[in-house]
Amino acid sequence: KNNLAFLAGTNEELMQVEVEQEGYQANLQLIDQYFATKDVKYLNLQGQIPPEFFSDHVHLTGEGYAQLAHIIVEKFNG
């Protein structure tokens, strides 16, 4: 199997208060650590897609999905 798991990023401008909380950052680190032990391709997209490519706190625009596709292709085919 060739599985990919990714942690979708959030709009860090709209989520600034939450993103800066210690618990939020600790949770991201735990997720990264968990997938480091698994036999899957894993990609953490937090902070990888600029805020202007989100339509709200978590949903991407069409351009945002294009950015997502570009990041995935570069990461795993580049």
Side-chain angles (χ1 to χ4, degrees):
K1 294 182 182 179
N2 193 7
N3 295 318
L4 166 65
F6 68 91
L7 176 63
T10 59
N11 184 329
E12 291 189 351
E13 282 184 0
L14 294 177
M15 298 280 293
Q16 183 177 3
V17 172
E18 290 83 3
V19 169
E20 291 176 351
Q21 291 183 8
E22 184 178 321
Y24 187 96
Q25 294 300 320
N27 190 46
L28 291 178
Q29 291 174 354
L30 288 171
I31 293 168
D32 288 347
Q33 291 171 6
Y34 173 80
F35 278 104
T37 66
K38 304 301 174 194
D39 186 26
V40 299
K41 294 177 182 177
Y42 170 66
L43 182 59
N44 181 341
L45 295 171
Q46 186 66 38
Q48 300 295 311
I49 299 176
E52 61 267 20
F53 294 117
F54 286 86
S55 63
D56 59 17
H57 292 71
V58 296
H59 298 100
L60 297 170
T61 62
E63 294 88 358
Y65 282 108
Q67 286 285 318
L68 171 62
H70 178 75
I71 291 168
I72 291 171
V73 167
E74 286 295 312
K75 173 75 175 175
F76 297 114
N77 290 332

